[in-house]
């Protein structure tokens, strides 16, 4: 690819987006060059900030013709280095495509620009008694385009599924600048390949998502949260299994451990929920119309796994206080160092064995490393954070990912492959799978313009 930006290209790009939205000064572009964790850093060749689909299409066509690779970037909250221009690529920032259309209360859908943040989408849905089914702690920055591109998961997957399940339609720009669009909102549409479904989870390698038709769900008026300190992972799993059967409003079942709790308390300056330590902490939330607290409390009172370490809350402020112990893990880990972040899933039957072996696996490789694990219990999805490793030292990452593969799991449950895990893709995808994915990439982006180096080694 052409390494020297010809000035005429910059002139043409400035003509498309306006000179204020083409950034070339390193002081202005550096913020787009590193990822949220600080582990991945690069220098964008330039940053271009189009305002609509036509501008995105024109920019991609120009960059493609000049052989300049492009990294689409939304809120830049990727935890796998997927939106970082590691090799001087151009950054295509989608933040200005933030328009959110009128909510359709009958169809329970809304049209949103790819750059709209999750928080803005929730704000738009709320007055209609609706909300968006995916929720993440990065909600103030993460964009719906980035969330679709990564097929984000989050804390309500148990009830509403992942991002792909919320996408009712999509418009996107392909590597040659052409626009594909399936936004009409027809409730059923079996006309050939489902391109939105293909682009969801493609991490900006197959197309640039510009607009989405998104499903909304009723916003429950009542909620109750319980935080429990339990004796074992086996108890945690049996409790959550029973809760799924007994509580129709169950929408979150999260887990964390003593070392993570201590990190959060120190970082946030808050007291732990109980003075004594517990083997595992489980947070469950039930939401619906009408009292949620009584059914949740009654359920917990009858469960043999639950002891004295149990707190329930229905008022918003109390619920937030309990949620903070779980939600502040990511920032507390980041404040403690530059983590290697592994987001894995293992079958529930193997979860206890994975947790029992994970620390030992890491310490065999690097005795000084520290492992902080938390995650979404119902899906066997654990965020394994390893502190104390050099950014380039992937020996412990590999050992953990091999353990996951041996136990029949996935090396990426919800964050994607990005650049952080591309070397390990073969651990849980077959040679035939990878060949099929490469064939799709080659067909849609033969010159490797979109996010080169992401997903594939
Ligand atoms: C505190 C915190 C908590 C988090 N919790 C969760 C969680 O619970 N579940 C979860 O799944 N993730 C979580 N994440 C990760 C992250 O927020 C998600 O991956 C999110 O979907 C990324 O959105 P973004 O707009 O920031 O995308 P970016 O980081 O900007 O980009 C992510 C990827 O998508 C591509 N991309 C971005 N926009 C587009 C577009 N419009 N078209 C095509 N490609 C695009 C990029 O090139 C990159 O490969 C968390 C992150 C943080 C910091």
């Amino acid at each position: 690819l052409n390494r020297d930006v010809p000035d005429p290209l910059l002139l043409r790009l400035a003509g498309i987006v306006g000179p204020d939205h083409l950034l070339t000064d390193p002081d202005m572009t550096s913020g787009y060059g590193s990822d949220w964790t600080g582990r991945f850093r690069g220098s964008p060749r330039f940053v271009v900030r189009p305002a609509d689909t036509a501008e995105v299409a024109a920019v991609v066509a120009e960059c493609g013709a000049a052989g300049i690779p492009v990294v689409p970037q939304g809120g830049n909250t990727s935890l796998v280095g997927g939106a970082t221009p590691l090799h001087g690529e151009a950054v295509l920032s989608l933040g200005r495509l933030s328009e959110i259309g009128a909510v359709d209360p009958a169809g329970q859908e809304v049209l949103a620009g790819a750059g709209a943040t999750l928080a803005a989408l929730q704000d738009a849905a709320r007055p209609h008694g609706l909300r968006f089914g995916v929720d993440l702690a990065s909600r103030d920055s993460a964009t719906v385009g980035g969330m679709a591109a990564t097929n984000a998961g989050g804390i309500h997957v148990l009830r509403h599924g992942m991002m792909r399940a919320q996408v009712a339609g999509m418009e996107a720009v392909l590597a040659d600048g052409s626009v594909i669009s399936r936004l009409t909102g027809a409730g059923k549409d079996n006309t050939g390949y489902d391109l939105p479904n293909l682009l969801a989870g493609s991490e900006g390698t197959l197309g640039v998502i510009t607009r989405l038709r998104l499903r909304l769900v009723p916003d429950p008026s009542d909620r109750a949260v319980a935080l429990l300190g339990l004796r074992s992972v086996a108890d945690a799993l049996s409790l959550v299994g029973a809760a799924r059967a007994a509580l129709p409003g169950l929408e979150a079942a999260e887990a964390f451990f003593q070392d993570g709790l201590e990190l959060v308390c120190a970082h946030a300056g808050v007291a732990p929920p109980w003075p004594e330590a517990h083997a595992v902490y489980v947070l469950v939330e039930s939401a619906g119309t009408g009292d949620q607290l009584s059914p949740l409390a009654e359920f917990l009172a009858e469960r043999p796994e639950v002891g004295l370490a149990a707190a329930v809350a229905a008022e918003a402020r109390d619920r937030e206080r309990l949620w903070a112990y779980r939600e502040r893990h990511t920032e507390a880990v980041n404040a403690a160092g530059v983590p290697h972040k592994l987001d894995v899933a293992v079958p529930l039957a193997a979860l206890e064995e994975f947790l029992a072996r994970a620390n030992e696996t890491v310490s065999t490789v690097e005795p000084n490393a520290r492992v902080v694990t938390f995650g979404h219990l119902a899906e066997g999805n654990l965020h394994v954070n390893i502190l104390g490793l050099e950014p380039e030292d992937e020996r412990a990452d590999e050992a953990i990912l091999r353990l996951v593969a041996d136990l029949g799991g996935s090396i990426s449950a919800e964050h994607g492959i990005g650049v952080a895990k591309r070397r390990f893709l073969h651990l849980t995808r077959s040679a035939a799978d990878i060949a099929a994915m490469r064939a799709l990439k080659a067909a849609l982006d033969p010159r490797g313009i979109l996010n080169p180096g992401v997903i594939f080694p």
Side-chain angles (χ1 to χ4, degrees), residues 342 344 396-405 411 421 424 427:
L342 304 175
V344 303
D397 306 42
E398 180 160 0
I400 287 287
L401 297 180
R402 284 192 183 279
L403 174 62
V404 167
I411 64 159
K421 291 194 185 164
F424 307 113
L427 290 178

Side-chain angles (χ1 to χ4, degrees), residues 35-37 39-40 76-82 330 334 339-343 383 385 415 420:
D35 80 321
W36 194 88
T37 66
R39 182 177 170 208
F40 299 98
N76 201 15
T77 63
S78 164
L79 300 176
V80 289
T330 305
N334 248 47
H340 284 224
K341 299 187 81 70
L342 304 175
D343 157 46
H383 300 315
N385 296 262
H415 295 164

Side-chain angles (χ1 to χ4, degrees), residues 77-97:
T77 63
S78 164
L79 300 176
V80 289
T84 312
L86 288 180
H87 304 288
E89 297 89 347
V91 167
L92 179 66
S93 169
L94 281 308
R96 291 177 70 214
L97 278 76

Side-chain angles (χ1 to χ4, degrees), residues 23 38 75 77 81 137 177 226 264 295 310 315 344 356 370 376 380 427 434 442 450:
L23 313 179
T77 63
V264 167
E315 293 303 319
V344 303
R370 179 173 177 195
H376 314 295
L427 290 178
I434 295 172
L450 293 177

Side-chain angles (χ1 to χ4, degrees), residues 12 16 32 49 55 67 99 118 123 146 189 193 199 211 215 221 252 260 292-293 303-304 360 367 380 402:
R12 286 199 295 278
I16 295 165
Y32 297 82
R49 302 190 303 199
E55 289 187 11
E99 193 178 340
L118 172 56
D123 287 346
D189 179 8
Y193 298 155
L199 261 65
R211 282 195 296 168
R215 298 194 172 94
S221 51
Q292 299 295 302
L293 188 63
R303 291 305 306 176
E360 185 195 321
R402 284 192 183 279

